[in-house]
Amino acid sequence: MTETVTPRFLGHALLVSGLDPRVVAWGKTAAHLWGIDTAAARAPAEPWPMEFIVPPGFGDPPGCLVREGGVADSDVTTHLGVRLTGRERTAIDCALHLPRLEAVTVLDQFLHAGLAESRLAARVAALRREGDRRRVRSVLALADGGAASPRETWIRLALCDAGLPAPRTQIPVRLPGGDRTCYLDLGWEEFRLATEYDGEEHHTATADRRHDEVRRAGLRELGWRIIPVRRDVIPARTADYIEIVANALLERGWKPSHDHLLAVMSRVRAARRRPP
C-alpha cells in the first residue's frame, strides 16, 4: 500500500529540511514520506509532530520533534525533495523506536513494497547494542510482506496474540473452472478457513460487493469458509472477532491442548474488558 503524502505535510517537511543541509527527516516522518501508512489502530493518519535529526544547537522548529545528532551519509537520501533516511535505515529506526503494533505495521509495508528482509537482517546484525538487536529482531520476526494494508497487519497480530495458529498471508486458490486464481488475505489452508479485510475502498460499491459474492461463492464450492472483517472490527470488537475465528478453527479440525484453549479463552475475555 502506498500512502498519499498531503501537500501540507510535504510542504512543512520541505520547509524544515531546507533550513540546514544537516537536517534529516527520520522515523515515522521518513516512513510516511516513503509512502508507508504509519497510522496505528488508535492514532491519526498523519504522523504529527514531524521528526527530524538536527545538528546540536539547531533549535525546535514549530510542529517538530527534534533529535540532536548526525546521520551517516550512506543512510541519507533525497525523496520528494526532502532529505531523509533511506528505506532500510527508516525501517530499522521504526522497528527500534515505535510501539510494537506500529513497528510491525511499518515493516510489513516496507517488505510488501519490495524491501528485502535479508538486507534488514544484515542491518540488524550491525547494530552496536545487543538490546537494540533483540528489539528489532523480535519485530522483524513478526513482520510479513504479504500484508496489503495496516489493518491486515492488525488482524494478523490480533489472531497470533490470542494464541490462535499463525495464518498464512496471500494464499493462492484456483477458483472453479480453473481459469482464475484468487488470493486470500489470511488463512489456514489445512482447515480451508480464511479471513479477509473488507475495506471501504474496494468493498463498498455495488460492483465490488457483487464481485466478492461471486468470488466467495466459488470458494465455498471448494470447501472454503471466509470470515470477512469490516473496518470497525479492529480494535473495537476484537474479542468478538477472535471468538468467531477460534470457534471456526475448532469446527474445522484445529485441536489445541486443553491448557492452550483455556489460554485463548482467557485472552478473549481480557480483550473484551479492554476499552476500544
Side-chain angles (χ1 to χ4, degrees):
M1 171 177 187
T2 300
E3 182 73 357
T4 301
V5 179
T6 65
R8 172 176 175 248
F9 190 90
L10 179 57
H12 198 73
L14 286 167
L15 176 64
V16 177
S17 176
L19 294 174
D20 189 293
R22 297 167 293 175
V23 172
V24 178
W26 79 293
K28 288 179 69 171
T29 297
H32 191 65
L33 290 166
W34 281 117
I36 300 301
D37 187 342
T38 58
R42 298 178 176 84
E46 283 195 323
W48 293 94
M50 288 187 165
E51 299 173 312
F52 288 90
I53 295 176
V54 302
F58 181 79
D60 299 328
C64 297
L65 283 176
V66 300
R67 175 180 177 182
E68 291 190 350
V71 183
D73 290 344
S74 59
D75 279 338
V76 179
T77 188
T78 300
H79 181 63
L80 301 178
V82 181
R83 278 187 309 281
L84 75 174
T85 51
R87 296 198 308 159
E88 291 176 15
R89 168 66 188 268
T90 301
I92 295 296
D93 284 341
C94 288
L96 187 57
H97 296 287
L98 292 182
R100 175 176 174 268
L101 176 61
E102 294 176 66
V104 177
T105 299
V106 168
L107 258 62
D108 274 7
Q109 291 176 78
F110 269 122
L111 294 175
H112 189 76
L115 191 60
E117 186 173 348
S118 59
R119 296 287 297 271
L120 290 180
R123 292 293 300 260
V124 174
L127 293 173
R128 286 181 290 181
R129 293 192 290 190
E130 174 60 27
D132 290 349
R133 292 195 294 271
R134 283 198 303 269
R135 161 68 182 177
V136 180
R137 281 171 178 153
S138 69
V139 174
L140 190 56
L142 293 170
D144 187 323
S149 72
R151 286 186 182 270
E152 288 182 24
T153 300
W154 307 344
I155 291 165
R156 190 182 79 249
L157 288 185
L159 294 167
C160 293
D161 288 348
L164 301 184
R168 179 185 170 191
T169 59
Q170 299 302 313
I171 300 172
V173 178
R174 188 172 292 275
L175 294 175
D179 59 345
R180 190 162 69 93
T181 298
C182 71
Y183 291 85
L184 305 177
D185 292 346
L186 299 159
W188 302 266
E189 291 170 279
E190 61 183 302
F191 305 122
R192 297 217 169 193
L193 177 68
T195 183
E196 296 196 304
Y197 171 54
D198 285 356
E200 295 175 0
E201 182 179 357
H202 301 296
H203 299 272
T204 301
T206 301
D208 294 334
R209 291 197 298 269
R210 177 59 183 160
H211 175 267
D212 284 343
E213 289 170 3
V214 171
R215 174 178 175 272
R216 287 174 181 171
L219 290 166
R220 285 194 297 272
E221 187 178 330
L222 295 173
W224 282 87
R225 176 181 173 184
I226 309 299
I227 300 175
V229 188
R230 301 296 296 179
R231 183 179 180 86
D232 61 342
V233 170
I234 305 291
R237 294 188 286 124
T238 300
D240 294 338
Y241 167 68
I242 295 298
E243 189 169 17
I244 289 170
V245 175
N247 286 333
L249 282 166
L250 291 168
E251 290 168 5
R252 288 185 164 247
W254 178 45
K255 298 186 183 303
S257 68
H258 178 70
D259 288 345
H260 189 160
L261 186 56
L262 288 178
V264 171
M265 294 169 61
S266 175
R267 289 166 187 166
V268 169
R269 288 193 297 270
R272 189 161 280 125
R273 292 193 297 267
R274 197 176 303 130

